[in-house]
Amino acid sequence: MKNYLWLVALGMCAGCLHAETGREAWLRYAPLKDSARAQYDTLPASIVLLGDSAVLSSARAEMIRGIRGMLGRTLRIEKGVPGESAIILGTMESIKAAVPALALPEIAQDGFFIASVEFGGLCHFIIASPNDRGALYGAFALLGKIAREESIAGIHEVQQPYAPVRWVNQWDNLNGTIERGYGGPSIFFDNDTVRADLARVGEYGRLLASLGIHGCTVNNVNANPRVIQDDFLPQLARIADAFRPWGVQLAVSVDLSSPQKTGGLDTFDPADPRVSAWWRGRVEAIYRHIPDFGGFTVKADSEGRLGPSSYGRTPADAANMLARALRPHGGILFYRAFVYDHHLDWRNPKNDRARAAYDIFHPLDGKFDDNVIVQAKHGPIDFQAREPVSPIFGGLRRTNIAVELPVMQEYTGQQKHVCFLMPSWKEILGFDLQADGPGTPVKDILAGKSFHRPMGGYVGVVNVGTDADWLGHPMGMANLYGFGRLAWNPDLAAETIANDWIRMTFGSDPAVAQTIASILLTSWRTYESYTGPLGAQTLTDILGSHFGPGVEASERNGWGQWHRADEKGIGMDRTVATGTGFTGQYAPAVARIYESLETTPDNLVLFFHHVPYTHRLRSGKSVIQHIYDSHYEGAERAEDYVAQWESMKGRIDPPLYESILARLEFQAGHARVWRDAICNWFHKMSQIPDASGRVGNYADRVEAEGMVLRGYTPLEITPWENSSGGKGIECRLPEGCTASFGFDRAAGWYDMDVEYFDQNNGESRFRVFVGDQLVDEWVALNRLPAQKPGGDSSTRRRIKGLGLRPGDRIRIEGIPDGEETAALDFVSIKRK
Amino acid sequence: MKNYLWLVALGMCAGCLHAETGREAWLRYAPLKDSARAQYDTLPASIVLLGDSAVLSSARAEMIRGIRGMLGRTLRIEKGVPGESAIILGTMESIKAAVPALALPEIAQDGFFIASVEFGGLCHFIIASPNDRGALYGAFALLGKIAREESIAGIHEVQQPYAPVRWVNQWDNLNGTIERGYGGPSIFFDNDTVRADLARVGEYGRLLASLGIHGCTVNNVNANPRVIQDDFLPQLARIADAFRPWGVQLAVSVDLSSPQKTGGLDTFDPADPRVSAWWRGRVEAIYRHIPDFGGFTVKADSEGRLGPSSYGRTPADAANMLARALRPHGGILFYRAFVYDHHLDWRNPKNDRARAAYDIFHPLDGKFDDNVIVQAKHGPIDFQAREPVSPIFGGLRRTNIAVELPVMQEYTGQQKHVCFLMPSWKEILGFDLQADGPGTPVKDILAGKSFHRPMGGYVGVVNVGTDADWLGHPMGMANLYGFGRLAWNPDLAAETIANDWIRMTFGSDPAVAQTIASILLTSWRTYESYTGPLGAQTLTDILGSHFGPGVEASERNGWGQWHRADEKGIGMDRTVATGTGFTGQYAPAVARIYESLETTPDNLVLFFHHVPYTHRLRSGKSVIQHIYDSHYEGAERAEDYVAQWESMKGRIDPPLYESILARLEFQAGHARVWRDAICNWFHKMSQIPDASGRVGNYADRVEAEGMVLRGYTPLEITPWENSSGGKGIECRLPEGCTASFGFDRAAGWYDMDVEYFDQNNGESRFRVFVGDQLVDEWVALNRLPAQKPGGDSSTRRRIKGLGLRPGDRIRIEGIPDGEETAALDFVSIKRK
């Protein structure tokens, strides 16, 4: 085993056997077919590195690794420009020194120039950048072109990042768990220390660098003060060491109350000189261990975190105090704009959490130091599948700002559902806030172009874990890839990003590419269709998992994610005229659109307006019928993803094929859970029937609570809409229970769905019999965020191809395990 | 983990993820594509089993498993013939009783009838057999047709086995090792007991049953007497239990000297009544534990095993004594004809091991009881790649006889080389011994047809192990599959067998099928070409591994595998006129062919005649030039297998693709070792140059012993022909050694082969540098039968795509491990 690792560490595992686990993501460097390889035959045989930093060495090593993998050649390392064609890699400065005659373009930091150039009678390949990191990005860019089989003949290309800050956050706790992490435990921490083996951190750094991402905050924004204590700093330094060869700077989240909690002071008032002195001391200690430390991320006065408001100070007071400690060392302070009162009085129709960021930060515009970046979520609420763009982006003209985007799908299926967010992010980045009349799209504000800011950009919350595929779903990585590509160039089309990712991850089979692209590019709207309608937000359980349905979880509490649905209608009136006044936070041209029910687009109508269910949308449909229709259509599309995927059998590495199939099957089943929960809740509330007669009518179903039960007992499911008929059954006998029913329909081939509840606190076993014949069995061991029967745990088992005859008895045996009670909701039997 | 096993045990692992490991071999039951599946839509939905034995239940369960896997439907189990179409499975008798009107054909034991029949106005599928086992074989046959996507519309088919005995042997030792086993340790034994987990035994039984194989001797013919001691019998019974549901009878090999060794007697004389009483007692004890026990296999008076000759008794005396103990219980006694003197005087030109079987057993014809089967290897020597058919098959007319065939490739590459033996076995089985004039092909003798014997048939020595792919090479299983198919029907073409196996193992991609078939069907002649020429036998190290070359290992010792090569010529004169008289053991018509140099086919000429190297073959070539040419051609074909396989990339499950690629690459390298060893030995001996100038001229090579060595020291390789130049280098410094040399050829892209020695008693590490640049590294951890540098361990590492320039220094670093000295033979550098 040690020998195997020894090989892998050097990336030369040519002869070793491995299935596609997803660990290499889009950097597989799989051998090209001969036909595709031929166009690269003229690539030089040598590579020259002008310079010797760790980052430049990574660039050279990556070129050698990539060319070896894809073209089967080992580039020769030359010390200086040789008497033959070569790939010449280095900073502009070093290349100019070596080849003074060469004309090089002006390029921004991190940008690069790739060109086929002639001098001394030879044709060389130049990869040049103002800085080391840029040269590394250039190497990845060239390798990416080869991986996608693009022509590089006569290449002469300059690429520069659209925005200067392209950063990621990880919400990892020091104990190894990850808040809102869906890909396994932390790659950084375990048991309150930094992991001994940081191989995955290096691999993560490489993936980030391949996208031009240059910084990573590694711990939860709900920060543990221990992370900057003396004894922890040598450990942090090890993480920085693993990132450094990839040009990724380490940052940490800090707890603003640390001076009091762990620093021995009786205050953490940012205005108290003892507090700022304490922070200066911490920062100096950090930089002694990590000279290229990136900075701090701060969540304060938010969701129970202490902050400057404790002392009547502002976020700017707190941010600047920290920024001034960081500034001498070149560090940055990210101050999160996710500050809101979560004890809002829901009875006051003027209260509105959506207002919070603008209300708090807009008055402080111009008060933040130049090495502070305000980090704001894309929408005014919280990573919903659909929100308007947050007005804060138009409200800070003298402040650096970055958008926080959810690479992890916290509110969009948590990587149990495919939800490729590029189409959403493209809408956000392209949205013109018209801060000075037309022409201030979000992407330009972030880039600092609109208001001439020196810094700004993108922060993705990623939360990769130790799962081989990083995020828990092979398709999930498309969001990390897309995040990086858009942060570099927000003008790229979602289709381009999807196709590039597929090509590099799955290879060049056109049928595979088309199928995956079709799933990815429709997946966000599909997810939106079967979850939250018309901008009412993702109607999930906001108090818990953020995963399954929970329509009322948003209401009658202080968290402010209200949609105000009742017997008559739904929606938050956020107009200036009659509502919370939120629309007034936008520039007038945008505010006008949202202020009027007539001009608000359908997909945000309930975010801005409260309307009766019978309100006619611009589409011509009533609100209630739209809710029904979109949920049925979305669930059907999710079902169709399974069929599309099944047509790929034999074209994709079998374990990968099976693993994605299992996830798509789960998604299709869970989309049904969503569909029925939302439709039934609104049906019951509105009392308006579905014009297509689907809602409430499930002819093919047999409710578990209506079966003949032996040992099983009925169980109320809360909230009621998350199970069929509001009830299920559970088994509390260790030896197991049975539920049975008679089949009295016509003889034929049927598919049978068993809807059961798969919690994460037990592994119940199920067996299904027709008569005495065992026809299926399984163990409930999916990793779902659920500890009780309900919308988070409801799971479909599809048993295909059963020949059933009238008079058959169908029996389900469940054996509980741990706290999981082998609970069942219903059985549905459909003709094949 | 327990839960996972729980699922697998029932064969219903629909949702679980697995790569193709080869464990399911040709019984994968992979889902058919929709287009292929449609033709089976009319298959009945129900299955009725008439009868209730374990074997019949297996047949029904297999039908359900197969149909579920391939067609995605679960057959309904019905208790009696239902009022709808059904698959009706059972014995002829039970089917006649249930449906008296049905006309059923006469069928031999183990045969079956599969037909689509109409009665009661319904169309049923019948699978009927005289015995339970035959019904199981019928189920496998029907499922095989579906797996191969063959039509079953209007099927009306009778299949009967060509020969009544279709058996396999395993040479497993009770300590868990396997003599001549190349697929890992025993699935039966470990640490002198039967394994606790016999899951693999059940799986093996299923594979055997799918081929119609009905018996298995589970322990080494060099038997440990302990296997039939009282305390071992309950353990043996557990193996029998695992085999029983698949209709596979358990047998064991016994040590004829057991009465003396462990039985407390002072003799094992078969004529002594105390000895026969002792054996009767043992047999009775066995049958008390295993009522359906199959019998014994005996190796005696052979290779140091004691036998009846100790008391002047004959094999018939010994065999009958045991057979009489077995007879009351229905047991069979297999007596191996592999009896020869291994202390033959090589100086006597009349001595000939090939004569032994006939000389010893022919005089005993008619003396063996009816429940004795003489088990004879296919040729007169021992599993060589090329031998004539053993004359013993024509020499026993009143004795039951079975052929022993090497499924494990003892002398044909040991599953490190692909060598599909069906073309060879087809030649053997079709060979007409003309015992009564034309018309007694071996297959008819084995079947008992030629001489009207009640029993006879096939015994395959298989030696599967715990490796996931059973035999250590995914392609190796084609020989087990082919053995079973030929034992059932020797008239099947090798092409049919190869295509069926590929279809069931790799799926229906025509390009994959064509490539694998092309490799399989040429592989035996390829192996023969680069190992033993013209019937001189496989020129391997017969005293050790039977794996790598060892030309002189056969000579000047008592083992009698002599080829008599010297300075002048080669071959054994086995004629009646001037030689050992072996040809006289054949019937006159056959003997005449072999007696004359003019009529002996080229591929056996050296088996029957001693000729000078300049002798012209019927092909027109001289013997010596044929030796050179065939070895170069064979090695080239092995190289071409790699290229053919590489064109399959992307069409085969990646881990399986990689694992086969690694094996084919090893084979191509080892074919070079063989080629050079044989050619150089004969070149040195004959002093006759290769007309094509290849032998002895290796322009691209740099001998390791000629490099600049730091720490490495020169090493003589024995025998000399097994390394390039007769020498290598070894490293005995724990910190490692280096060997380097200058490159002075033209600049360009090159492939570099490093020939090193990979033993099984250490894991040396190697690194290769061009200048200071690491270009490759690996660990020598192949599992080869070698404990020293030489022809068994010589291994090629191919480093592709190196850009080399004149003046480059190439340096190899080796770090020894254990008893492996990181030894090197040479480096070869070829332009791409």
Side-chain angles (χ1 to χ4, degrees), chain B residues 393-394 396-397 435-436 440 444-445 448-453:
Chain B
F393 295 107
L396 297 180
R397 293 165 170 248
D436 294 315
T440 56
D444 285 357
I445 294 170
K449 293 185 208 298
S450 299
F451 307 128
H452 312 290
R453 296 300 311 166

Side-chain angles (χ1 to χ4, degrees), chain A residues 516-528:
Chain A
I516 299 178
S518 148
I519 293 174
L520 285 182
L521 290 165
T522 58
S523 62
W524 165 54
R525 288 193 182 83
T526 297
Y527 185 83
E528 181 191 18

Side-chain angles (χ1 to χ4, degrees), chain B residues 227-311:
Chain B
V227 74
I228 52 167
Q229 284 185 330
D230 274 333
D231 65 328
F232 210 78
L233 297 183
Q235 300 193 50
L236 275 189
R238 291 182 45 246
I239 299 179
D241 291 345
F243 273 151
R244 188 168 298 111
W246 303 105
V248 175
Q249 285 185 283
L250 172 70
V252 295
S253 296
V254 293
D255 180 340
L256 213 59
S257 68
S258 299
Q260 189 180 59
K261 273 201 188 121
T262 62
L265 302 185
D266 57 3
T267 178
F268 62 93
D269 181 354
D272 189 314
R274 292 172 301 154
V275 170
S276 49
W278 185 87
W279 279 107
R280 267 198 312 279
R282 282 296 83 208
V283 167
E284 280 159 12
I286 292 169
Y287 277 92
R288 275 196 296 277
H289 285 92
I290 308 166
D292 57 353
F293 183 71
F296 292 148
T297 299
V298 174
K299 174 180 180 179
D301 287 327
S302 170
E303 298 179 336
R305 305 293 299 173
L306 292 171
S309 68
S310 301
Y311 301 95

Side-chain angles (χ1 to χ4, degrees), chain A residues 330-491:
Chain A
I332 300 177
L333 192 281
F334 291 86
Y335 202 96
R336 292 177 85 238
F338 189 62
V339 178
Y340 68 98
D341 176 2
H342 66 283
H343 299 291
L344 277 181
D345 180 357
W346 67 88
R347 285 157 299 202
N348 182 346
K350 297 292 175 190
N351 278 347
D352 188 358
R353 167 172 162 186
R355 295 185 56 112
Y358 192 95
D359 282 350
I360 295 167
F361 284 83
H362 175 66
L364 300 173
D365 190 22
K367 301 223 160 79
F368 290 97
D369 282 8
D370 267 3
N371 64 329
V372 174
I373 297 176
V374 170
Q375 175 175 328
K377 300 203 187 212
H378 62 79
I381 302 293
D382 186 7
F383 292 163
Q384 300 302 295
R386 174 78 68 177
E387 296 180 63
V389 166
S390 172
I392 189 70
F393 295 108
L396 296 180
R397 293 163 170 249
R398 289 169 295 149
T399 306
N400 302 319
I401 192 158
V403 66
E404 182 177 303
L405 291 170
V407 171
M408 73 2 172
Q409 303 160 220
E410 176 179 354
Y411 279 94
T412 48
Q414 303 187 353
Q415 288 104 271
K416 297 288 175 193
H417 296 232
V418 178
C419 189
F420 179 61
L421 291 165
M422 291 326 105
S424 161
W425 296 349
K426 284 287 292 179
E427 287 189 11
I428 292 162
L429 296 172
F431 187 82
D432 191 349
L433 282 161
Q434 308 199 41
D436 293 317
T440 55
V442 172
K443 63 182 180 179
D444 286 357
I445 294 170
L446 299 175
K449 293 185 210 297
S450 299
F451 306 130
H452 312 291
R453 296 300 311 168
M455 281 206 296
Y458 297 78
V459 178
V461 183
V462 185
N463 295 356
V464 298
T466 57
D467 280 7
D469 63 11
W470 298 95
L471 282 171
H473 193 315
M475 301 267 204
M477 288 296 269
N479 284 323
L480 176 55
Y481 181 81
F483 168 77
R485 295 292 303 274
L486 282 184
W488 184 271
N489 179 6
D491 291 330

Side-chain angles (χ1 to χ4, degrees), chain A residues 256 268-270 300-301 306-319 335:
Chain A
L256 213 59
F268 62 91
D269 181 355
D301 288 326
L306 292 171
S309 68
S310 301
Y311 301 94
R313 314 294 174 195
T314 68
D317 297 331
Y335 202 96

Side-chain angles (χ1 to χ4, degrees), chain B residues 331-600:
Chain B
I332 300 177
L333 192 280
F334 291 86
Y335 201 98
R336 293 177 86 238
F338 189 62
V339 178
Y340 68 98
D341 175 5
H342 66 282
H343 299 292
L344 277 181
D345 179 359
W346 68 88
R347 286 156 302 202
N348 182 344
K350 297 292 177 191
N351 279 346
D352 188 358
R353 168 173 163 185
R355 297 186 54 112
Y358 192 95
D359 282 350
I360 295 166
F361 284 83
H362 175 67
L364 300 174
D365 191 23
K367 302 222 161 78
F368 290 97
D369 282 9
D370 267 2
N371 65 329
V372 174
I373 296 176
V374 170
Q375 175 174 327
K377 300 203 187 212
H378 62 80
I381 301 292
D382 186 7
F383 291 165
Q384 301 300 295
R386 174 79 67 176
E387 294 179 65
V389 167
S390 173
I392 189 70
F393 295 107
L396 297 180
R397 293 165 170 248
R398 289 169 294 149
T399 306
N400 303 319
I401 193 159
V403 66
E404 182 178 304
L405 291 170
V407 171
M408 72 1 171
Q409 303 161 218
E410 176 180 354
Y411 279 94
T412 48
Q414 303 186 354
Q415 288 103 273
K416 298 287 176 195
H417 296 234
V418 178
C419 189
F420 179 61
L421 291 165
M422 292 325 104
S424 161
W425 295 350
K426 284 288 292 178
E427 287 189 12
I428 292 161
L429 296 172
F431 188 82
D432 191 350
L433 283 161
Q434 308 200 38
D436 294 315
T440 56
V442 172
K443 64 181 180 181
D444 285 357
I445 294 170
L446 299 175
K449 293 185 208 298
S450 299
F451 307 128
H452 312 290
R453 296 300 311 166
M455 280 206 295
Y458 297 78
V459 178
V461 183
V462 185
N463 295 354
V464 298
T466 56
D467 281 8
D469 63 10
W470 299 96
L471 282 171
H473 193 315
M475 301 265 204
M477 287 296 269
N479 284 323
L480 176 55
Y481 180 81
F483 168 78
R485 295 293 302 273
L486 282 184
W488 184 270
N489 179 6
D491 292 329
L492 286 174
E495 291 73 14
T496 305
I497 294 171
N499 288 330
D500 285 357
W501 177 76
I502 294 164
R503 197 85 190 240
M504 294 171 78
T505 305
F506 290 88
S508 61
D509 181 335
V512 169
Q514 204 186 342
T515 299
I516 299 178
S518 148
I519 293 174
L520 285 182
L521 290 165
T522 58
S523 61
W524 165 54
R525 287 191 184 83
T526 297
Y527 185 83
E528 181 191 18
S529 301
Y530 61 69
T531 56
L534 303 168
Q537 301 171 55
T538 315
L539 297 176
T540 191
D541 175 10
I542 70 142
L543 301 174
S545 65
H546 303 183
F547 180 61
V551 185
E552 293 179 56
S554 310
E555 301 304 303
R556 290 177 296 284
N557 61 46
W559 292 90
Q561 287 191 229
W562 312 316
H563 49 67
R564 303 291 198 195
D566 58 19
E567 291 80 355
K568 297 271 164 31
I570 176 172
M572 273 283 283
D573 183 352
R574 289 186 161 109
T575 60
V576 171
T578 57
T580 68
F582 169 73
T583 58
Q585 293 185 341
Y586 292 96
V590 175
R592 263 195 305 278
I593 297 169
Y594 292 145
E595 180 74 8
S596 158
L597 188 52
E598 275 62 50
T599 52
T600 304

Side-chain angles (χ1 to χ4, degrees), chain B residues 772-813:
Chain B
D772 294 334
Q773 184 176 0
L774 177 65
V775 296
D776 197 16
E777 58 182 330
W778 68 94
V779 183
L781 34 63
N782 200 353
R783 201 173 60 181
L784 299 171
Q787 307 215 313
K788 67 183 185 66
D792 290 337
S793 55
S794 189
T795 301
R796 180 178 85 186
R797 174 79 175 189
R798 177 155 286 181
I799 310 168
K800 288 188 177 179
L802 287 180
L804 298 178
R805 301 291 175 264
D808 279 347
R809 276 212 76 75
I810 293 166
R811 188 171 89 250
I812 304 171
E813 276 183 19

